Amino acid sequence: MTQDDRLTPAEPWWKGAAIYQIYPRSFQDSNGDGIGDLNGITRRLDHVARLGADAIWISPFFPSPMRDFGYDIADYCGVDPIFGTLEDFDALVARAHALGLKVTIDQVYAHTSDLHPWFAESRSDRDGNRADWYVWADPKADGTPPNNWQSVFGGPAWTWDARRRQYYMHQFLSSQPQLNVHAPAVQAALLDAMRFWLDRGVDGFRLDALNHAMHDPALRDNPPAPDDGKPRTRPFDYQVKLYSQSHPGVVAFVERIRALCDNYGAIFTMAEVGGVLAETEMKAYTAGETRLNSAYGFDFLYAEKLTPTLVAETVARWPDEPGMGWPSWAFENHDAPRALSRWCAPEERPAFARMKIALLAALRGNIILYQGEELGITQVDIPFERLQDPEAIANWPLTLSRDGARTPFPWEADAVEAGFSDASPWLPVGEENLARATSLQEADTESLLHFTRAMLGLRKTTPALRSGRLDMLLSDGERLLFRREKDGQRILCAFNLSSKDVALPTGMAGEGEPLVAVNGATPALLPPYGALMVRET
């Protein structure tokens, strides 16, 4: 029986899928330059397929000056030579499909690189064909920027350009000018870029920072943010981003994206949405059948602690109701510190890691694993002289470097640079992660790698876990209990998110077939970071 046979005909491939995120610079180097590439990904796709993932998501590999490591795109329809060629990409897609993996890629529509030909033309002439493709504004009478908007990476969101004698907007680096996605011609160009990749066999898109794609055309000042007691390390933190992002017009553009993708069949579209209004925007971008398929935010990615309350409140915001969008969940990604380094003490990591994977596999929605999460990779402390992350360099030492979560994948414990490259890699592998290398875990049937395969396999073959409803039963200081249900199949899921023994409520485990018992869990007792799944009868 195939995976598709186990799903109802009404469900597309992506509903409940396990998606494996690949950060291409750090996955596998195939040509000895110390930087991962597309051919390296192709070489290692067997690992992802054996893991039981349904799809891969590849972070940007497009031509770029790499000032923000690929999120500053100079050509939407190409491959940066660092990563290979379009032919290499085609070979990757072909190999992935042969292994039963769907391929999703990033699209970045809020901004481009300042080296993009569109920007070169826009800045050269106020009256040219692309004059309004970026966000330009005259200075105030005293020569200062047109309003008080601040960039995410620090400083004003405006940079003076002597060619046009105007300021241009940038929500991130000054080398990432803001696209004017209000302009119909810009939308058409972006949709053409999406069509280019669809024609090459891409199965889906992750839309980066989508709520940053449109601004208030009136350029009104953002109001000050109330003091919530948290440290403010950037001017950006002092404002409510009411006008610099999150314009309602994004929804209409989303519908154009969905319409294009529907022409190609079961294409998966997922928005990344952050900020104070993330939940509202995620729901707006995914409501009904004419918008995106899914969205994910930062509920878990920057949480200092994983608690039953956090999980219960987060999943409750996405009930199984008509018209409600389908969520996606990630505990880790290329921008956030590794979860095991955030959520538990070093001595607790082996037990916590297994419970965390079991919990992720039990959630309703799509689940996203970041490369190395299946090995229990932890955050690497990158010394200042090795930093690559422009945000961390600019805000040192108050901003935690994203580089620590982007370190090269440890494939082989005894090989040069852990089997990632024959050369010195762009970031250090991290001595602490050598002991978690794939080669060691392959040889140990009790390893986290084997456990992750088992959990993804269980999710894939259990309809209630893959796409069933979720009913929360209990969330207190330590315990999290919920039931997943679909077509009469009922799975009770119980988790202890603490470092002490806790008892399950009397009779809560009920009668049934034990499917998973993590860290010595029983129907009567959940040891520290214990987890239990029972198929109820």
Side-chain angles (χ1 to χ4, degrees), residues 256-304:
R256 296 190 68 188
I257 291 173
R258 175 64 184 271
L260 171 61
C261 290
D262 281 352
N263 291 335
Y264 286 80
I267 303 302
F268 175 56
T269 51
M270 175 178 65
E272 178 209 37
V273 182
V276 176
L277 299 176
E279 180 190 343
T280 300
E281 291 170 330
M282 290 164 65
K283 289 179 177 178
Y285 298 167
T286 59
E289 299 300 322
T290 62
R291 299 178 186 173
L292 303 182
N293 303 123
S294 189
Y296 89 100
F298 299 92
D299 304 87
F300 299 114
L301 288 172
Y302 291 104
E304 294 181 2

Side-chain angles (χ1 to χ4, degrees), residues 385-417:
E385 62 271 14
R386 291 294 305 272
L387 283 180
Q388 306 287 333
D389 178 11
E391 180 184 13
I393 293 171
N395 295 293
W396 176 267
L398 297 177
T399 296
L400 181 65
S401 167
R402 296 176 297 176
D403 292 336
R406 298 176 176 184
T407 52
F409 197 102
W411 293 104
E412 301 163 33
D414 298 327
V416 173
E417 301 298 350

